[in-house]
Amino acid sequence: MTEQSDWATQLSAAIQSQSGARPRTAELYSVRAVSPNVVEIIHSDPGGRGVRGIRIDRTSVLSARERISDSSIVELAFDLVYIGMEEPKPEEDFLPPDLDGVTWLRLARWLDKNS
C-alpha cells in the first residue's frame, strides 16, 4: 500500500492511540478514515457545548506551515487530540451545526493558528 493511500488509516489509528493514552476532558465518539486522504473525528466539547468535529485532509496538512506539514502521523495525531479536541476554542472557530448537530472546526483557521 502506498503512503498516500494509507495516510487516513494510519492517522485514524494514531488518533485512537493518543486518545486512549491519558484521561481526557473531551470524549472521543468516533474517528474514521472517510477516504484514503480524509479523517473525521467526532468528540464531545470539553466546555460542554455539544458535539464537535474535525475533518482533516492530507492536502491541507501538506499545505500548512512547516510545523504541521513536516509532522509525522503520530505528531499530527498528538496535535489533533491535545490541541484540536482538548484545548478550549471560541465559537467562531467552528461552523454552524450540521444536520446531525455536529459543529465542525474550521480546519484552515486551526492549521493557521497551530502551525
Side-chain angles (χ1 to χ4, degrees):
M1 202 175 297
T2 67
E3 180 185 331
Q4 184 173 4
S5 66
D6 199 40
W7 182 86
T9 302
Q10 289 178 35
L11 182 57
S12 295
I15 291 166
Q16 289 173 335
S17 177
Q18 289 286 339
S19 183
R22 295 185 194 148
R24 309 243 142 309
T25 57
E27 182 180 347
L28 179 63
Y29 296 138
S30 70
V31 58
R32 65 187 184 107
V34 295
S35 78
N37 295 304
V38 177
V39 172
E40 286 185 352
I41 305 162
I42 308 293
H43 62 92
S44 65
D45 176 63
R49 295 173 291 196
V51 179
R52 300 288 196 203
I54 303 170
R55 186 177 292 122
I56 190 161
D57 62 277
R58 190 167 194 251
T59 301
S60 295
V61 169
L62 294 174
S63 298
R65 293 188 203 141
E66 280 183 17
R67 194 182 91 57
I68 295 291
S69 65
D70 290 348
S71 293
S72 69
I73 295 274
V74 171
E75 291 166 335
L76 181 57
F78 181 91
D79 284 346
L80 288 165
V81 170
Y82 290 94
I83 300 171
M85 289 174 45
E86 291 289 321
E87 190 174 278
K89 288 168 212 51
E91 286 298 316
E92 60 266 11
D93 282 0
F94 295 90
L95 297 168
D98 66 12
L99 294 175
D100 295 320
V102 178
T103 54
W104 293 94
L105 183 65
R106 295 177 193 270
L107 183 65
R109 182 181 290 182
W110 184 81
L111 288 172
D112 207 36
K113 285 182 179 180
N114 294 291
S115 8

